[in-house]
Amino acid sequence: MVYYPVFVTTLNRYEHFKRLVESLSRNTDADKTEFIIGLDYPPSEKYREGYEKIKDYIPSISGFKKVTVFTTDVNLGPFNNSERLKKYVKEQGYDAYIGTEDDNEFSPNFIQYMNWGLNRYRDDNSIYAICGFSKLDSSGAEGKVYKLNRIFSAWGVGQWFDRRDKLKLYLDLNYQKKILDAMPVTIIFSRKIFRANAIIGMLYGGWPYGDTIPMFLPDDERWCIFPVKSKVRNWGQDGSGQHGGSVKGFLFNSTMEIDTDESFEGDDRADIYSPLIEKRFQKNYRKTVKNYLKSVVIYLTYKMTGKIPVGNHTSRWRRIKLDDLKLPKEQ
């Protein structure tokens, strides 16, 4: 049984970070687990206070086999901060990792669940990741876990390096831009318009979205394992993070009922696909006419003007030139 390390990226959200650490340190098998922290450097003074609180709090963390801390004197941003932690884990000889942002709260058996999944499905190349968060209604589903190839959640996730490496090319935003430029206008008549819109969103944001990138894998290689009862409660939709937030999203995710069991016993069923869960996914995530039309407008604007109109959470529209984007250099 391999006990994989858990890493977290953080900057200034002290209350969120402290909640995460306390929930994770109470986990069964935390004492067998290395906990790795990537503390980024404040990009401006408004982040300083929270950063200093986290920096002062870190030495008091206990309950883990080992606590490893990475700091920096320049701002790396969430993507590069995460990448340096993955590099460290790989250099320690692990073939997988458990990663999280700093705004999650975990069930007492989260670590056991993750290690069970990463060990059980290590040699199954159809499984892309072990996800700890599940917001689909899973009442009536058999067993303790299910799999879907339609969604991915990075809110507490276990991944193998070899499977993530399949998507290394798609992590390059310059490559994503080439894909976008090669798409014909006729994709507005197909579901590929949503993929184009996702690429535009990543170009605008300046980093590859972890929940979007897996969609570039073939259908039979992007299955994710989910718990029937979520093992993660997310507090990040309070507007404190990089992705903003909403009142509705915050209330739903921060009050979600999560598993309270101290331990997790693996699900040994050979087939964990659930038609019931699939049907509920299709109902909850179907694309609306409004979403389709918005995607068409964004894509056609880009094709005709070379600019990206992006609606943010305040429903205002902004336009920027692609030349103004600070894209990562091609590797």
Side-chain angles (χ1 to χ4, degrees):
M1 176 74 167
V2 177
Y3 292 94
Y4 289 96
V6 179
F7 74 73
V8 58
T9 54
T10 189
L11 170 62
N12 71 306
R13 297 191 292 179
Y14 170 71
E15 295 296 338
H16 285 332
F17 179 71
K18 186 172 183 288
R19 182 189 299 112
L20 175 145
V21 172
E22 290 178 350
S23 69
L24 203 57
S25 66
R26 292 192 294 265
N27 257 241
T28 302
D29 291 341
D31 60 340
K32 302 182 180 71
T33 303
E34 180 177 3
F35 183 48
I36 308 163
I37 303 166
L39 177 60
D40 206 353
Y41 192 78
S44 66
E45 284 305 305
K46 73 176 184 178
Y47 300 99
R48 177 71 60 179
E49 182 180 357
Y51 165 81
E52 294 293 346
K53 285 183 177 180
I54 291 176
K55 191 175 180 181
D56 291 341
Y57 171 70
I58 285 175
S60 69
I61 295 174
S62 62
F64 300 96
K65 177 182 178 181
K66 179 182 179 182
V67 178
T68 303
V69 184
F70 285 83
T71 58
T72 175
D73 56 4
V74 296
N75 181 258
L76 299 175
F79 179 75
N80 289 327
N81 192 13
S82 175
E83 288 302 296
R84 64 172 174 165
L85 305 186
K86 294 185 181 84
K87 180 181 178 182
Y88 167 77
V89 171
K90 196 170 188 179
E91 288 173 346
Q92 303 311 300
Y94 292 98
D95 62 343
Y97 59 86
I98 303 168
T100 177
E101 295 176 337
D102 63 1
D103 52 15
N104 293 316
E105 179 184 1
F106 296 107
S107 296
N109 62 21
F110 170 79
I111 289 177
Q112 277 199 338
Y113 161 72
M114 280 290 160
N115 282 302
W116 167 81
L118 289 171
N119 281 278
R120 176 176 172 81
Y121 294 102
R122 181 189 292 123
D123 300 321
D124 185 346
N125 288 321
S126 71
I127 306 299
Y128 173 69
I130 311 298
C131 300
F133 178 81
S134 176
K135 68 178 180 180
L136 284 172
D137 176 13
S138 54
S139 58
E142 294 182 26
K144 297 181 178 180
V145 297
Y146 64 90
K147 68 177 184 178
L148 274 180
N149 67 356
R150 308 292 193 91
I151 53 176
F152 165 82
S153 173
W155 293 356
V157 63
Q159 288 187 280
W160 301 269
F161 287 108
D162 62 344
R163 262 147 274 186
R164 188 175 183 275
D165 286 347
K166 292 179 181 179
L167 288 169
K168 188 174 291 184
L169 192 59
Y170 295 100
L171 296 174
D172 185 339
L173 294 185
N174 290 286
Y175 183 76
Q176 292 280 13
K177 183 178 178 296
K178 290 178 182 178
I179 294 176
L180 181 66
D181 290 341
M183 289 180 174
V185 174
T186 52
I187 68 165
I188 64 173
F189 302 110
S190 72
R191 292 188 62 84
K192 289 183 179 180
I193 186 62
F194 297 115
R195 178 168 293 188
N197 199 27
I199 295 175
I200 289 173
M202 289 189 287
L203 291 175
Y204 175 79
W207 71 90
Y209 298 163
D211 55 355
T212 300
I213 291 294
M215 294 301 102
F216 289 92
L217 284 171
D219 289 355
D220 61 351
E221 294 181 14
R222 65 173 189 237
W223 292 96
C224 292
I225 306 298
F226 295 90
V228 167
K229 193 168 186 179
S230 184
K231 304 193 182 296
V232 183
R233 180 182 291 127
N234 182 272
W235 293 80
Q237 301 233 342
D238 58 352
S240 65
Q242 190 165 25
H243 299 292
S246 67
V247 173
K248 182 179 179 180
F250 176 73
L251 290 176
F252 178 86
N253 293 313
S254 64
T255 61
M256 171 178 284
E257 182 181 354
I258 60 176
D259 194 357
T260 58
D261 289 346
E262 295 290 329
S263 61
F264 176 82
E265 294 183 9
D267 195 321
D268 293 324
R269 290 177 301 143
D271 184 8
I272 58 173
Y273 172 75
S274 171
L276 176 65
I277 298 293
E278 177 79 30
K279 185 176 181 180
R280 287 174 181 165
F281 168 80
Q282 292 176 359
K283 179 180 179 181
N284 292 347
Y285 286 86
R286 64 176 178 267
K287 300 294 185 180
T288 65
V289 173
K290 181 180 178 180
N291 288 337
Y292 167 74
L293 293 176
K294 181 178 178 181
S295 296
V296 169
V297 169
I298 291 174
Y299 179 70
L300 291 180
T301 300
Y302 165 71
K303 279 293 188 180
M304 292 186 293
T305 69
K307 298 178 181 180
I308 303 175
V310 178
N312 61 20
H313 64 279
T314 61
S315 298
R316 292 177 296 183
W317 290 75
R318 294 185 289 173
R319 291 185 178 177
I320 58 176
K321 294 181 180 179
L322 278 174
D323 292 341
D324 296 332
L325 293 170
K326 296 180 179 179
L327 300 179
K329 295 181 180 179
E330 288 189 84
Q331 301 297 317

